Amino acid sequence: MVAQYYWVLRAVVKQKPHLRESLTRCRHCRILFLTHPRNAGRRDLRCPFGCREAHRRYQSTKRSTEYYRTKEGKGKKSDLNARRCAKDQRCKHAKDAEKEKNHCKDLQAPLDEPTLSYLQTVTSLIEARTVCRKEIIRLVNTILRQHRIDQSLKLLYTVKNCRAKPP
Ligand SMILES: [Zn+2]
């Protein structure tokens, strides 16, 4: 998988040599990835394949743990717990509404947010224009659909071959 990824990345950079400046290494897992030109040259970035997300989660947990340890935070926490029930209910409604909206537009995101965001950055860099999120989602959906068709054809072909040559 990583070899395949590097193969594509090399091919892209070979075709668009100016993107070489946007190449950066994840400070955590050391994988190479393309970043937005405004971040070119930075060495403190984490990759969008999990490290960035993991770090964000870690920081956020650390922040809230530190906050709730303070006196002010301790008071807030009991308030929060009381309000949580009501909020959970509201969140559920908001989520349902969003699901409905996505469903109507047939734009269900096929991948997680960091991956989509990375695809958006890289595609925009390659095409030298701003590619919007909807385009990315449609593109990924098309590729996945094609992949499923290919898989089915392969399966059909195998079945047909098995029949053609009985053991
Ligand atoms: Zn990483």
Side-chain angles (χ1 to χ4, degrees):
M1 194 69 180
V2 174
Q4 234 172 352
Y5 165 73
Y6 273 129
W7 186 81
V8 173
L9 192 63
R10 248 199 308 273
V12 166
V13 174
K14 206 172 162 186
Q15 275 230 323
K16 316 256 172 185
H18 67 279
L19 290 183
R20 197 173 294 276
E21 288 161 30
S22 294
L23 274 179
T24 189
R25 229 174 243 292
C26 173
R27 64 174 282 183
H28 184 75
C29 72
R30 312 301 298 156
I31 198 168
L32 271 173
F33 65 100
L34 285 166
T35 184
H36 194 278
R38 67 167 173 256
N39 290 326
R42 279 180 61 176
R43 304 223 167 275
D44 58 337
L45 301 173
R46 287 175 176 80
C47 73
F49 312 120
C51 296
R52 195 179 295 165
E53 201 49 30
H55 186 67
R56 210 193 329 256
R57 265 200 305 274
Y58 168 75
Q59 287 295 335
S60 137
T61 311
K62 206 174 117 191
R63 260 198 314 276
S64 64
T65 316
E66 274 163 13
Y67 176 71
Y68 287 124
R69 243 183 239 140
T70 65
K71 215 175 168 187
E72 187 198 356
K74 276 180 184 155
K76 275 259 166 62
K77 185 156 190 174
S78 44
D79 277 8
L80 262 180
N81 281 339
R83 262 181 276 151
R84 186 158 288 154
C85 268
K87 191 177 165 247
D88 280 352
Q89 208 52 35
R90 277 201 302 278
C91 278
K92 199 177 165 297
H93 287 311
K95 264 185 203 152
D96 285 349
E98 184 152 8
K99 227 190 234 168
E100 181 96 13
K101 208 172 82 190
N102 281 341
H103 182 71
C104 290
K105 283 188 193 157
D106 188 30
L107 274 179
Q108 209 99 18
L111 297 169
D112 58 295
E113 174 55 35
T115 311
L116 282 175
S117 157
Y118 182 61
L119 282 176
Q120 192 175 6
T121 306
V122 172
T123 315
S124 301
L125 285 176
I126 292 172
E127 301 217 340
R129 68 182 176 98
T130 307
V131 180
C132 75
R133 183 60 62 101
K134 277 183 189 170
E135 271 184 88
I136 296 296
I137 294 177
R138 279 203 197 99
L139 186 75
V140 173
N141 275 329
T142 309
I143 292 171
L144 288 178
R145 201 159 37 234
Q146 189 56 49
H147 180 73
R148 279 193 293 269
I149 293 171
D150 287 348
Q151 290 298 310
S152 312
L153 286 177
K154 219 161 112 187
L155 188 71
L156 258 175
Y157 181 76
T158 315
V159 172
K160 227 175 87 186
N161 261 12
C162 283
R163 280 213 194 119
K165 287 179 272 172

